[in-house]
Amino acid sequence: MATLRLKRLRRRLWRLFWTALIAIAVLTLLANRWVINSTDAYVYRNWALLPENDVGLVLGTSPFTGGGKPNPHFYGRIEAAVQLYQIGKIRHIIVSGANPDETYNEPRQMRKELVKAGIPDNVITMDFAGLRTLDSITRAHDVFGLDRITVITQEYHAYRAVFIGKKINMRIAAYAAPGPGPGFQPYTREIFARVKAVLDLFVLRTRPKFLGEPQSIDLNKSGSAGSGDSGGSR
């Protein structure tokens, strides 16, 4: 009798396990489709159709891969930011990322590379509290007082950034920076990061870890290195 009860209990547990696993898979799929489908029209692959905004926001990542080589995602974002500034699509650049200790500082590394590429230092603002994409986007709105912005990152990451910006009523566009595909591990991480973004925005009501006092960006000091034409396709 006890053996029969144990077998029934095991069957119920297995059914519960598979039901929960299927539910998680379905919710993950639906969340990802929601994020991508609702933002695809705001992610631009060609600069010619990208709307002009005063400020571009470069989202942080490490300048090096786990193996110590230059990170193509980092340098792709720098290349894209330089291009958009030079053709007049943006006038000012915020570099937002993490700086957990003295040996690792994403905003300083981004500013260093932008200046090396010819971007004037006075048109670059560093945001040291961009610990997550949600933090970087929300701080652009709440701390720097921006209601419209161009996000600069790779395409697979851009959907989530735009999704967050639209939820807080920003007029946001994203420019897909050059770079290789995310690879299996980063792509898998991004799949679950989109689910986390949906939960953060609609269930948990997550706020940035650090906000602080408002900071103004003086666009009078910012300029444009040039202007582009309007042809092309996205």
Side-chain angles (χ1 to χ4, degrees):
M1 191 69 175
T3 303
L4 181 59
R5 289 176 179 173
L6 184 58
K7 287 182 178 179
R8 288 175 178 173
L9 178 60
R10 286 176 177 172
R11 283 198 297 267
R12 289 173 184 170
L13 289 175
W14 273 110
R15 282 198 297 268
L16 285 173
F17 171 77
W18 285 109
T19 300
L21 191 63
I22 292 170
I24 291 171
V26 170
L27 290 174
T28 299
L29 176 62
L30 291 175
N32 273 262
R33 293 319 308 170
W34 184 16
V35 170
I36 294 172
N37 290 348
S38 65
T39 60
D40 184 65
Y42 303 92
V43 177
Y44 293 81
R45 293 88 178 168
N46 188 307
W47 61 262
L49 292 182
L50 181 72
E52 293 183 9
N53 280 321
D54 287 331
V55 179
L57 172 66
V58 186
L59 298 178
T61 189
S62 173
F64 302 104
T65 65
K69 297 180 180 180
N71 183 357
H73 292 94
F74 175 91
Y75 287 98
R77 296 177 196 186
I78 296 300
E79 177 187 335
V82 171
Q83 178 191 29
L84 295 187
Y85 179 81
Q86 290 178 340
I87 63 179
K89 290 290 182 176
I90 56 176
R91 299 171 53 211
H92 195 95
I93 300 171
I94 298 175
V95 288
S96 180
N99 64 319
D101 55 53
E102 294 181 358
T103 65
Y104 185 85
N105 193 308
E106 291 174 355
R108 290 195 188 281
Q109 287 293 327
M110 288 189 283
R111 184 186 69 173
K112 176 183 176 182
E113 294 300 325
L114 288 170
V115 171
K116 187 188 298 186
I119 303 298
D121 187 64
N122 67 342
V123 306
I124 304 171
T125 295
M126 291 185 291
D127 174 19
F128 297 107
L131 305 180
R132 300 193 306 156
T133 303
L134 183 144
D135 296 59
S136 295
I137 301 295
T138 305
R139 283 177 54 82
H141 182 267
D142 293 359
V143 174
F144 295 104
L146 302 170
D147 60 6
R148 56 185 300 165
I149 201 166
T150 296
V151 175
I152 300 167
T153 187
Q154 275 72 34
E155 182 176 341
Y156 72 94
H157 183 202
Y159 300 115
R160 176 160 54 101
V162 172
F163 187 80
I164 294 168
K166 287 178 66 61
K167 176 60 175 64
I168 59 176
N169 297 317
M170 295 185 76
R171 297 176 63 184
I172 186 169
Y175 183 62
F184 177 76
Q185 184 176 352
Y187 184 73
T188 303
R189 185 168 61 244
E190 182 62 25
I191 287 174
F192 289 103
R194 292 171 189 154
V195 177
K196 183 62 164 58
V198 172
L199 293 174
D200 282 335
L201 294 171
F202 295 94
V203 179
L204 304 175
R205 309 290 181 182
T206 304
R207 298 291 295 162
K209 186 173 183 179
F210 302 107
L211 272 179
E213 297 298 320
Q215 302 177 41
S216 61
I217 293 177
D218 187 358
L219 293 173
N220 292 324
K221 294 181 179 180
S222 301
S224 171
S227 60
D229 57 39
S230 57
S233 61
R234 181 169 69 84

